[in-house]
């Protein structure tokens, strides 16, 4: 149901801020339509406090895991910055491309050009992001690549991780209305859920990866199939 019932006092303690700040945050979220609040008096109905409800999103969203929210190694500001980075990643990935750190990257993630290098340096030094050429990658485990664990998603993640291990930008998926990618389907058809066999094939056949990787490349190398390459436009996720 995506519902929760907490007192503002408890929320303020959880986020290490004041009740007034929490009240302002809730007000702002209500105005934007991101949060519905059923204001209840103490002891009424099934909940002793206000009930906060989020509508289930069907598209243009991403998920983060609770350990990231509870991570004490990052300030709220840097956590927020990581969320903006994620919102600008290619759909289904944890990376984005840029031309210059203080130009288009700063503009994309809403950070001033005088501050962005310091913020990114701290995130990189703590292991939350990494750079490969002119691409920025989120490496924190709190940002999963998928919600549902199936053979297509796990297969893509294995290929994705193999690319990062070899300092290459992973390929982009182009899913249909069933959330399946044709090229991945060929690879899944070849390996099914034999993930160790897939990893071994990647190690043996993909030791020296080209610079510009596509799923067509992996489809041909891993499954001996050569599908037609389809271009995919970049659609950033809206927060």
């Amino acid at each position: 149901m995506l519902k929760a019932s907490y007192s503002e006092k408890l929320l303020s303690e959880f986020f290490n801020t004041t009740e007034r700040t929490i009240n302002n945050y809730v007000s702002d979220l209500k105005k934007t339509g991101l949060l519905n609040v059923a204001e209840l008096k103490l002891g009424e109905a099934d909940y002793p406090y206000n009930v906060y409800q989020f509508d289930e999103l069907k598209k243009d969203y991403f998920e983060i895991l609770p350990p990231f929210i509870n991570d004490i190694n990052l300030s709220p500001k840097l956590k927020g910055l990581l969320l903006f980075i994620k919102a600008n990643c290619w759909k289904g990935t944890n990376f984005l491309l840029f031309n210059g750190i203080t130009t288009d990257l700063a503009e994309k993630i809403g950070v001033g050009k005088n501050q962005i290098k310091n913020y990114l340096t701290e995130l990189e030094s703590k292991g939350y992001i990494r750079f490969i050429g002119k691409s920025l990658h989120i490496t924190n485990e709190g940002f999963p690549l998928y919600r549902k664990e199936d053979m297509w998603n796990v297969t893509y993640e294995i290929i994705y991780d193999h690319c990062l291990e070899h300092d290459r930008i992973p390929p982009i998926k182009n899913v249909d209305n069933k959330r399946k990618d044709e090229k991945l389907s060929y690879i899944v058809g070849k390996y099914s859920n034999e993930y160790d066999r897939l990893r071994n094939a990647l190690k043996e056949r993909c030791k020296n990866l080209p610079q510009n990787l596509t799923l067509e490349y992996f489809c041909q190398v891993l499954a001996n199939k050569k599908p037609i390459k389809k271009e995919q436009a970049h659609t950033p996720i809206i927060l």
Side-chain angles (χ1 to χ4, degrees):
M1 294 295 290
L2 302 178
K3 289 183 178 180
S5 178
Y6 294 101
S7 68
E8 291 189 353
K9 182 177 185 299
L10 185 60
L11 290 174
S12 67
E13 293 173 354
F14 180 79
F15 290 105
N16 193 28
T17 187
T18 65
E19 292 183 49
R20 182 179 181 85
T21 299
I22 292 296
N23 188 275
N24 290 336
Y25 287 162
V26 170
S27 178
D28 289 341
L29 288 170
K30 288 170 60 178
K31 289 176 182 177
T32 60
L34 294 174
L35 179 67
N36 297 316
V37 181
E39 297 179 353
L40 304 177
K41 294 181 180 179
L42 183 65
E44 289 189 1
D46 295 328
Y47 302 98
Y49 305 109
N50 290 348
V51 177
Y52 305 96
Q53 179 174 347
F54 293 90
D55 293 332
E56 184 175 3
L57 299 176
K58 300 296 184 181
K59 61 179 182 178
D60 295 337
Y61 70 89
F62 62 86
E63 295 189 5
I64 53 176
L65 301 180
F68 173 74
I69 298 296
N70 299 325
D71 191 341
I72 62 174
N73 295 315
L74 279 187
S75 66
K77 180 179 291 184
L78 288 180
K79 287 182 181 179
L81 178 57
L82 267 179
L83 295 180
F84 272 97
I85 292 172
K86 175 61 178 178
N88 282 276
C89 288
W90 280 85
K91 191 172 182 179
T93 77
N94 279 333
F95 73 83
L96 61 88
L97 307 177
F98 62 90
N99 293 316
I101 290 179
T102 60
T103 53
D104 63 314
L105 179 57
E107 183 178 355
K108 283 178 181 179
I109 60 179
V111 177
K113 63 181 182 180
N114 294 327
Q115 294 82 29
I116 186 170
K117 286 187 176 181
N118 289 336
Y119 292 156
L120 295 180
T121 296
E122 183 173 351
L123 286 173
E124 186 178 22
S125 66
K126 291 183 175 181
Y128 291 85
I129 64 171
R130 63 176 290 196
F131 291 92
I132 300 176
K134 290 189 175 181
S135 63
L136 171 56
H137 301 255
I138 297 175
T139 54
N140 183 264
E141 294 181 352
F143 294 79
L145 288 178
Y146 53 82
R147 181 177 187 180
K148 179 183 178 182
E149 184 172 317
D150 58 28
M151 288 187 291
W152 283 262
N153 285 329
V154 176
T155 296
Y156 178 69
E157 184 177 47
I158 291 172
I159 294 172
Y160 191 101
D161 290 343
H162 182 79
C163 295
L164 293 182
E165 289 170 5
H166 289 74
D167 293 323
R168 293 291 186 267
I169 300 171
I172 305 295
K173 288 191 295 184
N174 188 12
V175 299
D176 56 23
N177 56 5
K178 295 181 180 179
R179 306 192 67 79
K180 300 292 189 297
D181 182 286
E182 178 188 12
K183 284 82 63 182
L184 275 176
S185 294
Y186 287 126
I187 300 172
V188 169
K190 176 79 172 179
Y191 297 90
S192 297
N193 61 349
E194 297 179 60
Y195 302 130
D196 286 339
R197 189 162 71 91
L198 173 60
R199 292 186 180 93
N200 289 333
L202 284 166
K203 291 179 181 178
E204 293 172 3
R205 305 179 191 179
C206 304
K207 297 177 181 178
N208 300 308
L209 294 174
Q211 286 290 337
N212 300 314
L213 291 169
T214 64
L215 280 177
E216 287 81 5
Y217 165 82
F218 286 103
C219 188
Q220 185 171 3
V221 173
L222 296 172
N224 198 27
K225 299 289 185 180
K226 193 174 182 180
I228 299 173
K229 183 177 179 180
K230 298 178 182 178
E231 297 295 334
Q232 179 181 1
H234 175 215
T235 304
I237 302 169
I238 306 301
L239 276 177

